[in-house]
């Protein structure tokens, strides 16, 4: 069993840290919100008085924070976690942030540092079925992998520093574009008098097939577990999709990559969020495409 520090105990980090404590690790936890710390203490974790204290003495240190600025500040800021961590510790940031900041923090930490964003959402965090996409040194990945696998069902080493964030941005750009295209197809089918079920039966067995259709079908009925069947309760919120598309757009601008579909998807998700859809599942964008209020 390992000594682990865990900072950022929100919707995702809370259940992830609790799963590590339940697996028998000695987990020191910190969050700015005391109630989140208490929820982890109830699952066997040890409250730490600060982020730096949670990192001190740990073999593995995790952060799960909202955005790049929080991550940079937590690791490299005054009294930061990198400086207080053991020189031999492996540091792992699971937040979804921009590639440039991930690389900056890895280089500035002076330690073995992994960027390891996740997919699978809050349900995946609770059920320990997340997928980790990991950037950083191969040896650090191999050392961290058994612990990652106690929070998820897959951990994929994608390359050097920033490669995990790069994989997340690229994957979610595909996801957004296929979801919007799938929603548009259902809206067109409705206008043409084609039933939802008929379009699903055809597209799911032919070249229109995608995860957006077969796992997250944006209309109720064909896939009973999809968010459309529960009023578009997330799931994966449209606000987080807009955030991730913004990170992909930043990366495209920084590298000169042409991503016109990704850029349009970002505009549409920003419109949907501005219209009040941010807290709903990202498949709920079908309502905006139909012109519903
Ligand atoms: P959240 O807002 O619920 O949790 C973030 C936590 O960080 C909060 O508890 C906050 O108090 C804490 N925090 C912020 N600054 C801190 C600091 N300096 N020190 C200690 N704690 C601090 O967010 P979340 O939904 O858990 O998401 C976390 C990350 O995971 C984000 O980058 C998000 O994009 C990513 N993500 C979320 C989901 C999801 O479905 N929620 C899915 C995949 C990835």
């Amino acid at each position: 069993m390992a000594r682990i520090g865990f900072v950022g105990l929100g919707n995702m980090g809370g259940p992830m840290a609790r799963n590590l404590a339940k697996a028998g690790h000695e987990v020191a936890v910190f969050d700015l919100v005391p109630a989140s710390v208490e929820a982890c203490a109830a699952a066997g974790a040890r409250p730490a008085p600060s982020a730096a204290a949670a990192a001190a003495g740990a073999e593995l240190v995790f952060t799960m924070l909202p955005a790049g600025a929080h991550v940079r500040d937590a690791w490299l800021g005054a009294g930061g976690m990198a400086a207080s961590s053991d020189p031999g510790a492996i540091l792992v940031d699971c937040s979804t942030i921009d590639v440039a900041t991930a690389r900056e923090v890895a280089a500035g930490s002076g330690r073995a540092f992994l960027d390891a964003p996740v997919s699978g959402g809050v349900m995946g965090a609770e059920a320990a079925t997340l997928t980790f996409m990991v950037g950083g040194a191969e040896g650090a990945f191999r050392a961290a992998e058994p612990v990652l696998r106690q929070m998820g069902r897959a951990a994929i080493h994608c390359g050097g520093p920033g490669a995990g964030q790069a994989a997340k941005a690229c994957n979610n750009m595909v996801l957004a574009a296929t979801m919007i295209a799938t929603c548009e197809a259902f809206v067109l089918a409705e206008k043409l008098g084609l039933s939802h079920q008929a379009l699903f039966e055809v597209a799911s067995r032919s070249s229109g097939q995608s995860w957006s259709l077969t796992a997250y079908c944006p209309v109720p009925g064909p896939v009973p577990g999809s968010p459309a069947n529960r009023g578009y309760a997330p799931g994966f919120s449209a606000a987080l999709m807009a955030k991730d598309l913004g990170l992909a757009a930043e990366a495209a601008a920084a590298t000169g990559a042409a991503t016109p579909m990704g850029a349009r998807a970002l505009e549409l998700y920003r419109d949907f969020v501005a219209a009040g859809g941010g807290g709903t599942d990202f498949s709920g964008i079908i309502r905006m495409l139909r012109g519903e209020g």
Side-chain angles (χ1 to χ4, degrees):
M1 289 299 125
R3 291 187 308 279
I4 294 175
F6 208 116
V7 172
L9 309 169
N11 292 322
M12 296 293 291
M16 290 166 72
R18 287 195 284 279
N19 282 334
L20 292 177
K22 284 181 205 156
H25 296 293
E26 197 183 304
V27 187
V29 292
F30 179 74
D31 193 287
L32 299 174
V33 178
S36 303
V37 176
E38 283 154 25
C40 288
R46 174 173 61 80
S50 66
E59 295 150 80
L60 273 162
V61 187
F62 289 90
T63 45
M64 191 49 156
L65 298 168
H70 306 90
V71 172
R72 184 192 293 108
D73 196 49
W75 288 109
L76 305 182
M81 297 166 63
S84 69
S85 67
D86 282 4
I90 296 173
L91 314 183
V92 189
D93 176 44
C94 297
S95 326
T96 302
I97 68 169
D98 60 289
V99 175
T101 301
R103 288 182 176 151
E104 177 196 332
V105 174
S109 70
R111 306 279 187 271
F113 196 102
L114 300 172
D115 53 292
V118 302
S119 75
V122 177
M123 281 165 62
E126 283 167 355
T129 56
L130 295 170
T131 296
F132 291 86
M133 4 196 152
V134 187
E138 170 91 28
F141 170 73
R142 293 281 165 236
E145 192 180 8
V147 174
L148 297 178
R149 292 294 302 273
Q150 290 175 318
M151 296 183 281
R153 64 177 153 213
I156 300 155
H157 187 228
C158 300
Q165 298 295 349
K168 170 96 182 170
C170 292
N171 179 73
N172 280 16
M173 194 172 70
V174 174
L175 175 62
T178 59
M179 179 55 79
I180 292 168
T182 303
C183 290
E184 287 182 0
F186 277 109
V187 171
L188 178 59
E190 288 164 4
K191 297 280 186 201
L192 294 171
L194 178 66
S195 74
H196 291 162
Q197 193 64 36
L199 174 58
F200 179 84
E201 294 297 335
V202 170
S204 64
R205 289 178 222 188
S206 57
S207 43
Q209 191 274 338
S210 71
W211 188 90
S212 294
L213 179 72
T214 57
Y216 246 55
C217 187
V219 295
V223 178
S226 79
N229 297 281
R230 46 174 201 269
Y232 299 98
F236 183 50
S237 76
L240 281 175
M241 177 53 91
K243 173 196 166 181
D244 290 0
L245 287 167
L247 296 175
E250 269 179 45
T255 56
T259 56
M261 294 282 285
R264 184 68 185 121
L266 172 59
E267 283 173 4
L268 288 167
Y269 273 105
R270 282 191 174 154
D271 289 349
F272 184 49
V273 170
T280 62
D281 188 77
F282 80 113
S283 59
I285 199 167
I286 193 170
R287 297 197 283 204
M288 186 180 86
L289 296 170
R290 275 198 200 107
E292 291 174 15

